[in-house]
């Protein structure tokens, strides 16, 4: 197998060739068909704070979908040939691309308990994109944020994650849902999806009496501004990790009885819910496809803000 391996921060990914994994008890071997590229991949390569999460050296890639090629002892729910995706925050408590080799490699040795079946009608790139971008955005908005129709909601960052959340909210009947993004292309996408109003700065939505703001960017100032803008008693959910630190105005935060919550990942059921919306045609995220050999270049494009929607590497002609 081949893979793009992370060694340490500030070092480029290394293309390595390793012995193919063998399925251990309770695990399966998956032939990777598609893997999403995430801004957290950029962070891992640029910010030393990520080293605490990485069992380096490790092949990166935590948004994975593929076909099972080998099943280990004790695995009864899946068989060779099954189309599956991996929940990166699943029951095993281990994450591909961080704790074990992920989808920037051509094969993945994954815990069976973290798998989700991919419906036949979904492409592998759609399935991969839902495992983090879809799952995390969905969980942050509906599970942690408790979003419901009738609430005034704003989303910061209509990129890889935010576009999923916006589409899902519209599909579930939300009308008063707003979007903020510094990118003109992202703002255009938010308008196409159906946001009630789109702005470049969350502060421009201060008059909307916002019950909930979900920060899918997480660039420090986006979070602190969200806490200023959300109404007294309102909630901000932080998802994005564009920066690993932020500073907040504790006076307005405390006197306004506001809440700041965090969301990390989600569950296999969240991914299954996203797949249901996709299969029904209610969620169709914008994806940009690249090839396996272009993964390092793709990460650089993410870093430069040149990608609209979600960037996905597609393997073995599965385009």
């Amino acid at each position: 197998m081949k893979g793009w391996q992370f060694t340490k921060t500030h070092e480029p990914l290394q293309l390595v060739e390793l012995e193919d994994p063998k399925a251990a008890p309770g695990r399966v071997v998956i032939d990777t068909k598609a893997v999403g590229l995430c801004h957290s991949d950029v962070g891992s390569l640029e910010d030393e704070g990520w080293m605490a999460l990485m069992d380096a050296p490790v092949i990166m890639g935590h948004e994975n979908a593929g076909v099972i090629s080998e099943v280990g002892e004790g695995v009864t729910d899946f068989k060779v040939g099954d189309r599956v995706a991996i929940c990166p925050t699943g029951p095993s408590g281990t994450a591909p691309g961080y704790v074990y080799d992920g989808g920037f490699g051509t094969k993945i040795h994954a815990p069976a308990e973290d798998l989700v079946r991919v419906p036949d009608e979904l492409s592998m790139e759609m399935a991969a994109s839902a495992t983090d971008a879809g799952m995390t955005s969905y969980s942050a908005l509906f599970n942690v944020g408790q979003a419901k129709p009738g609430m005034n909601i704003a989303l910061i960052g209509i990129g890889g994650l935010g576009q999923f959340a916006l589409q899902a909210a519209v599909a579930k009947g939300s009308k008063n849902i707003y979007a903020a993004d510094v990118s003109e292309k992202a703002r255009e996408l938010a308008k196409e999806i159906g946001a009630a109003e789109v702005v470049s700065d969350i502060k421009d939505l201060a008059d909307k009496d916002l019950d909930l703001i979900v920060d899918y960017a997480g660039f420090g100032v986006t979070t602190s501004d969200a806490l200023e803008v959300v109404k007294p008693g309102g909630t901000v959910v932080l998802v994005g990790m564009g920066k690993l630190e932020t500073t907040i105005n504790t006076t307005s935060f405390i006197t306004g009885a506001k809440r700041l919550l965090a969301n990390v990942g989600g569950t296999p059921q969240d991914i299954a819910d996203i797949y249901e919306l996709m299969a029904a045609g209610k969620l169709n995220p914008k994806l940009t496809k690249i090839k396996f050999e272009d993964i390092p270049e793709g990460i650089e494009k993410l870093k430069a803000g040149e990608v609209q929607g979600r960037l996905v590497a597609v393997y073995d002609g599965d385009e």
Side-chain angles (χ1 to χ4, degrees), residues 300-319:
E300 289 301 312
K301 289 184 176 181
L302 273 180
K303 180 181 175 182
E306 297 174 357
V307 178
Q308 185 180 10
R310 201 58 166 179
L311 191 61
V312 182
V314 181
Y315 294 10
D316 297 335
D318 293 282
E319 296 185 62

Side-chain angles (χ1 to χ4, degrees), residues 276-287:
E276 186 175 339
L277 289 173
M278 286 178 163
K282 296 180 179 179
L283 204 162
N284 186 27
K286 182 176 182 60
L287 305 178

Side-chain angles (χ1 to χ4, degrees), residues 225-305:
D225 286 347
L227 281 167
E228 292 292 304
V229 169
V230 75
K231 76 177 188 181
T235 299
V236 174
V237 179
L238 176 57
V239 183
M241 297 176 72
K243 298 290 183 182
L244 297 186
E245 294 181 353
T246 189
T247 301
I248 66 173
N249 181 340
T250 54
T251 301
S252 62
F253 179 54
I254 293 171
T255 60
K258 300 177 181 182
R259 299 196 307 160
L260 176 61
L261 304 176
N263 181 82
V264 57
T267 67
Q269 185 58 51
D270 293 328
I271 297 175
D273 289 345
I274 288 289
Y275 286 164
E276 186 175 339
L277 289 173
M278 286 178 163
K282 296 180 179 179
L283 204 162
N284 186 27
K286 182 176 182 60
L287 305 178
T288 300
K289 293 186 288 185
I290 60 174
K291 298 181 182 298
F292 168 79
E293 56 265 28
D294 298 325
I295 285 175
E297 180 184 354
I299 289 177
E300 289 301 312
K301 289 184 176 181
L302 273 180
K303 180 181 175 182

